[in-house]
């Protein structure tokens, strides 16, 4: 019953002139069709009779539309975009209706002229004097360097997915960079580096934000004057402008964010018309999925766009369900969205990492973040060239198969209790204290430089001796581990004649041969998984996830797992080890990439895990709060702008400060918006005159993108522990500026029948432009003493000419 009422509400919303109409071209087209195919049902012209199959075949009969969207009578007047009621050429949509009319219709449209004007203005503001500062600026030191790594194929590690950095690399390649410049912070660019052209290419992503803001507003049925104002608000924000003028990731991220909003609203625009499964319907749906894949592959904050589109998708499918859509057709809608909005983004995300691994095939600073098997395939990595067979007397690094703890490690520090002997731990990074020598069992004397070479094999009894201290790995059933008290302690002891016999002897038990097969009994580097069983107690050398306290340098605890039967945990990863690196001057080095297999999906997952760990480790630095970092609560109110460079009187200074009028105005609009939505719901519930369900549906269809996009890109930062900067607010600001245009459009469009709509847009745009010019010295660089800009210090917290201490 509720679904039927919902359907009736959708059909009955005919008198609200602010909801989605047909274009005049589409109306005339339907009238022409009716002349040849028979009368056209009025419901069909109103939008409630458009089915997906109807538009797959232009000559098929009209059928029912499923979806409780507000509609309008075909003969109802609509604001043509200039504030007047014009039922003629009503909607000139650049990306939808006019596209059907061909290129000639597109070029004749007013939207094209506006988009062209906004694009030219954006090109000027973003590119003017872009090469003025010839030094590496702000995070160009990071992202310019990462781009160069793709050119010289050097593997690196960063907290962000690779797409935006690959676009930086593309800009460097186009600019003719050879990858030799290391982008050291504040270093002057050499003559052979065309940094101006690099910056200009990245700035083009920021240029596109302005016309895309206009087109997005047209999809949301914001009038042409206020859609133009939305583009101008993006155009005249100083923070968006200054961040587009350097080699950073922010502009590609903002571009794909805006592209996602544009394509998602474009799909909603077509979907409201009932053209399900038509060519244009598929185009916008697939473009939305493509945009989601790109924004997610640029930075992980792109996941907020995924949530935004996900909410809109669930809302659309819920409406179709409530409108009693046939199950077969309903399943097609689920399948289409699964393909376009889940599969396509995942394919793009995976493809970006495939390109990332494909081009970075040389050893670099990020090698240690991935497995030894991956490193063995990198050119120049020490794991790539080493002896394959393990012999007695070899110096080895033993790595735990269990992911995380790392390499078997020891140091001169001793346990504070228990045996009071030398600590044995696991350490994730390469260190000289990770090197151990494999020797024969205690009591067997051998000369490992002169005696015949003997290979370590399955079942051998060996000693594992720490190279730097000469202490042998040992365990005892009389001493329990410091944390896991159900296990025995593992320590390192310098063996003397008074030492107990057998406590340093370990039996090698080969569990898996990943290359040579199960019949091979030898221990090989990288490919042989084995256990070390203590000969005296029968326990197994084990490492888990527990970390020792400060006295153990918070390294992973290594214990000996009791196993008298010899059958416990036979394949558990926490008792498995392998030789990661083998050093032996008596053995010839081999290319281990021949023996080691590296799986792309395993590497990609591991790299994403490491990215997450690195991101979580970016804790705020209290010592930097006074100049660089800021907290999310301060962002909408522009309390703490950020100095991007040094602040000497003679240096060229850039200040990341937004247009205060736009930031404060958008903050107010975003904060009060949910309360206004609540008031609307209350008025509808009380059935007050003038408050219609169709209006709240239209309001929701816009707010789930604009206010929802702002909230999703802002509120989560309150729950993040990582360091935050003011430019993290820029994606949310973009949504907020469009929401301002939407709110002004609704207010002035209804006030005195839109008589002052155009005037309001002109006045708001002029104010935004004037304030932008007033703060332009911060945006385009100021090379005189900052004291001369003291008049532009509107808030006492702005460190325009003096440092602040806010924490």
């Amino acid at each position: 019953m509720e679904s039927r009422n919902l359907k009736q509400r959708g059909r009955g919303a005919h008198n609200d002139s602010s909801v989605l109409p047909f274009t005049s071209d589409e109306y005339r087209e339907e009238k022409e069709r009716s002349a040849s195919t028979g009368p056209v049902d009025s419901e069909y012209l109103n939008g409630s009779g458009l089915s997906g199959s109807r538009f797959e075949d232009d000559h098929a009969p009209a059928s029912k539309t499923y979806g409780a969207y507000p509609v309008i009578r075909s003969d109802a007047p609509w604001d043509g975009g200039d504030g007047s009621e014009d039922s003629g050429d009503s909607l000139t949509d650049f990306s939808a209706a006019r596209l059907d009319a061909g290129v000639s219709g597109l070029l004749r449209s007013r939207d094209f002229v506006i988009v062209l004007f906004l694009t030219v203005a954006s090109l000027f503001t973003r590119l003017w004097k872009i090469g003025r500062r010839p030094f590496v600026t702000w995070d160009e030191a990071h992202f310019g360097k990462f781009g160069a790594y793709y050119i010289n194929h050097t593997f690196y590690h960063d907290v962000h997915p690779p797409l935006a950095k690959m676009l930086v690399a593309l800009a460097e390649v186009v600019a003719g960079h050879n990858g030799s410049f290391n982008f050291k912070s504040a270093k002057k660019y050499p003559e052979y580096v065309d940094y101006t052209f690099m910056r200009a290419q990245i700035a083009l992503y920021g240029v596109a934000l302005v016309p895309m803001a206009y087109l997005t507003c047209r999809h949301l049925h914001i009038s042409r004057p206020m859609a133009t104002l939305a583009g101008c608000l993006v155009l005249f924000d100083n923070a968006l402008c200054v961040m587009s003028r350097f080699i950073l990731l922010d502009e590609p991220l903002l571009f794909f964010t805006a592209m996602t909003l544009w394509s998602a609203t474009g799909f909603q625009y077509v979907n409201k018309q009932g053209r399900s499964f038509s060519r244009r319907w598929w185009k916008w749906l697939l473009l939305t999925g493509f945009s989601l894949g790109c924004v997610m592959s640029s930075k992980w904050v792109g996941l907020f766009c995924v949530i935004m589109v996900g909410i809109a998708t669930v809302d659309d499918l819920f409406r179709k369900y409530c409108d009693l859509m046939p199950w077969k057709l309903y399943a097609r809608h689920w399948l289409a969205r699964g393909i376009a909005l889940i599969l396509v983004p995942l394919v793009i995300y995976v493809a970006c990492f495939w390109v990332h691994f494909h081009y970075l095939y040389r050893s670099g600073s990020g090698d240690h973040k991935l497995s030894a098997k991956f490193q063995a395939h990198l050119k120049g990595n020490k794991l790539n060239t080493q002896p394959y067979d393990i012999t007695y007397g070899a110096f080895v690094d033993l790595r735990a198969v269990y992911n995380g703890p790392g390499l078997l490690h020891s140091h001169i520090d001793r346990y504070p209790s228990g045996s009071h002997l030398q600590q044995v731990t696991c350490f994730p990074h390469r260190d000289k204290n990770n090197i151990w020598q494999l020797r024969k069992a205690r009591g067997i004397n051998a000369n490992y430089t002169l005696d015949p070479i003997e290979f370590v094999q399955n079942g051998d009894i060996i000693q594992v001796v720490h190279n730097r201290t000469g202490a042998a790995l040992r365990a005892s059933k009389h001493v329990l581990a410091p944390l896991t008290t159900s296990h025995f302690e593992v320590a390192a002891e310098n063996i003397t004649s008074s030492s107990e016999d057998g406590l340093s002897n370990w039996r090698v038990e080969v569990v898996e041969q990943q290359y040579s097969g199960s019949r091979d009994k030898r221990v090989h580097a990288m490919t042989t998984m084995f256990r070390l069983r203590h000969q005296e107690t029968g326990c197994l050398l084990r490492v888990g996830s527990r970390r020792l306290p400060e006295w153990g340098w918070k390294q992973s605890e290594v214990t000996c797992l009791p196993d008298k039967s010899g059958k416990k945990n036979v394949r558990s990863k926490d008792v498995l080890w392998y030789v990661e690196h083998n050093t032996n001057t008596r053995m010839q080095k081999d290319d281990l990439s021949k023996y080691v297999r590296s799986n792309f999906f395993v590497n990609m997952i591991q790299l994403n895990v490491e990215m997450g760990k690195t991101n979580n480790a970016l804790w705020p630095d209290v010592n930097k709060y006074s100049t660089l970092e800021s907290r999310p609560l301060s962002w909408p109110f522009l309390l703490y702008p950020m100095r991007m460079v040094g602040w000497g009187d003679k240096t060229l200074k850039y200040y990341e400060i937004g247009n205060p009028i736009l930031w404060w105005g958008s903050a107010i609009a975003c904060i009060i918006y949910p309360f206004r939505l609540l008031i609307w719901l209350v008025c509808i519930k009380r059935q007050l005159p003038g408050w219609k369900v169709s209006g709240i549906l239209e309001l929701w269809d816009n707010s789930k993108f604009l206010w929802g996009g702002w909230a999703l890109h802002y509120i989560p930062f309150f729950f993040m522990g990582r360091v935050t900067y003011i430019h993290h607010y820029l994606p949310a600001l973009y949504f907020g500026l469009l929401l301002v245009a939407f709110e002004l459009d609704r207010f002035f469009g209804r006030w005195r029948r839109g008589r002052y709509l155009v005037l309001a847009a002109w006045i708001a745009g002029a104010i935004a432009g004037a304030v932008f010019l007033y703060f332009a010295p911060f945006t385009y660089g100021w090379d005189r003493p900052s004291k001369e800009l003291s008049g532009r210090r509107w808030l006492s917290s702005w460190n325009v000419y003096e440092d602040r201490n806010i924490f």
Side-chain angles (χ1 to χ4, degrees), residues 28-295:
R28 286 193 294 269
E29 180 183 350
E30 294 307 322
K31 292 180 69 176
E32 291 172 1
R33 287 198 184 111
S34 67
S36 59
T37 62
V40 181
D41 184 75
S42 61
E43 263 192 349
Y44 172 70
L45 289 179
N46 289 340
S48 60
L50 302 178
S51 70
S53 59
R54 173 67 179 87
F55 283 91
E56 290 176 356
D57 183 359
D58 290 340
H59 301 289
S63 60
K64 177 177 177 173
T65 287
Y66 298 91
Y69 290 106
V71 293
I72 189 170
R73 293 196 314 271
S74 59
D75 58 345
W78 183 76
D79 177 8
D82 55 2
S84 63
E85 292 184 353
D86 180 14
S87 60
D89 187 17
S90 59
L91 177 60
T92 320
D93 184 63
F94 174 79
S95 54
R98 284 297 177 184
L99 196 59
D100 291 340
V103 176
S104 59
L106 174 65
L107 295 178
R108 289 196 303 269
S109 69
R110 283 176 290 176
D111 292 293
F112 177 79
V113 176
I114 295 172
V115 166
L116 181 62
F117 166 76
L118 291 174
T119 303
V120 172
S122 185
L123 281 168
F124 177 77
T125 57
R126 269 57 179 174
L127 299 180
W128 188 59
K129 292 186 177 181
I130 196 170
R132 187 180 178 191
R133 177 179 166 85
F135 298 93
V136 177
T137 304
W138 183 232
D139 277 349
E140 286 184 336
H142 298 295
F143 305 124
K145 175 178 61 180
F146 293 152
Y149 283 153
Y150 287 100
I151 299 175
N152 53 45
H153 308 291
T154 302
F155 193 82
Y156 70 92
H157 175 70
D158 184 43
V159 298
H160 304 301
L163 178 58
K165 290 170 290 187
M166 289 192 291
L167 293 175
V168 170
L170 177 62
E172 294 182 13
V173 170
V174 174
H177 183 41
N178 59 12
S180 59
F181 184 63
N182 60 2
F183 289 87
K184 188 176 181 181
S185 182
K187 187 175 182 179
K188 187 174 183 179
Y189 284 104
E191 292 184 1
Y192 67 87
V193 177
D194 192 352
Y195 66 93
T196 301
F197 192 25
M198 294 180 193
R199 289 175 178 173
Q201 293 179 75
I202 300 300
L204 293 179
Y205 297 102
V207 170
L209 294 180
V210 178
M212 204 171 290
Y214 173 83
L215 296 175
T216 301
C217 288
R218 296 298 286 153
H219 283 161
L220 294 173
H221 268 268
I222 297 175
S223 66
R224 188 174 286 110
M226 286 303 170
T228 306
L229 175 63
C232 291
L233 297 183
V234 177
L235 175 71
F236 292 135
D237 182 69
N238 299 79
L240 289 172
C241 184
V242 72
M243 292 302 289
S244 68
R245 296 170 56 79
F246 300 100
I247 306 172
L248 306 173
L249 303 188
D250 297 86
E251 292 314 300
L253 172 69
L254 283 167
F255 170 76
F256 290 125
T257 301
M259 185 177 176
T260 300
L261 179 61
W262 171 60
S263 56
T265 54
F267 174 73
Q268 177 180 263
Y269 175 88
V270 176
N271 194 45
K272 279 184 176 183
Q273 296 176 340
R275 297 188 170 187
S276 300
F277 308 109
S278 64
R279 181 178 300 177
R280 203 172 68 172
W281 187 90
W282 273 111
K283 180 193 73 174
W284 284 110
L285 183 61
L286 290 172
L287 183 60
T288 303
F290 174 80
S291 303
L292 288 176
C294 291
V295 71

Side-chain angles (χ1 to χ4, degrees), residues 523-657:
V523 176
H524 304 287
M526 304 284 288
T527 64
T528 302
M529 307 296 117
F530 58 87
R531 297 188 299 264
L532 289 175
R533 186 181 297 276
H534 192 246
Q535 186 183 23
E536 176 72 18
T537 64
C539 61
L540 298 171
L541 187 69
R542 175 193 177 273
V543 61
S545 59
R546 303 188 71 173
R547 299 294 183 92
L548 296 172
E550 293 291 343
W551 55 259
W553 302 98
K554 294 187 177 181
Q555 295 172 10
S556 298
E557 180 192 34
V558 175
T559 64
C560 203
L561 175 67
D563 184 21
K564 294 182 179 180
S565 65
K567 297 180 180 180
K568 182 183 292 186
N569 295 330
V570 292
R571 298 187 68 86
S572 179
K573 288 186 177 181
D574 57 3
V575 296
L576 293 182
W577 304 82
Y578 66 92
V579 175
E580 180 180 275
H581 188 253
N582 177 26
T583 303
N584 193 337
T585 57
R586 304 182 70 186
M587 296 291 292
Q588 185 176 359
K589 291 184 179 181
D590 202 347
D591 180 8
L592 258 67
S593 63
K594 299 184 301 183
Y595 310 105
V596 176
R597 298 179 181 89
S598 179
N599 184 280
F600 162 71
F601 289 101
V602 173
N603 294 334
M604 186 190 73
I605 293 172
Q606 185 178 2
L607 182 57
N608 277 264
V609 170
E610 292 299 329
M611 287 161 50
K613 291 179 179 179
T614 305
N615 189 71
N616 293 334
L618 297 175
W619 290 95
D621 187 346
V622 178
N623 296 325
K624 292 183 179 180
Y625 269 156
S626 60
T627 56
L628 298 178
E629 301 168 13
S630 57
R631 291 177 178 172
L633 186 61
S634 68
W635 296 342
F637 309 104
L638 200 61
L639 297 182
Y640 304 112
M642 185 185 70
R643 296 177 180 179
M644 299 179 66
V645 294
W647 221 244
D649 286 347
K650 295 183 179 180
T651 61
L652 190 62
K653 296 172 280 295
Y654 291 89
Y655 199 46
E656 189 183 351
I657 184 173

Side-chain angles (χ1 to χ4, degrees), residues 740-752:
V740 169
F742 170 71
E743 291 285 65
L744 292 176
D745 183 61
R746 292 188 64 85
F747 177 77
F748 286 101
R750 295 180 181 275
W751 186 51
R752 299 182 67 85

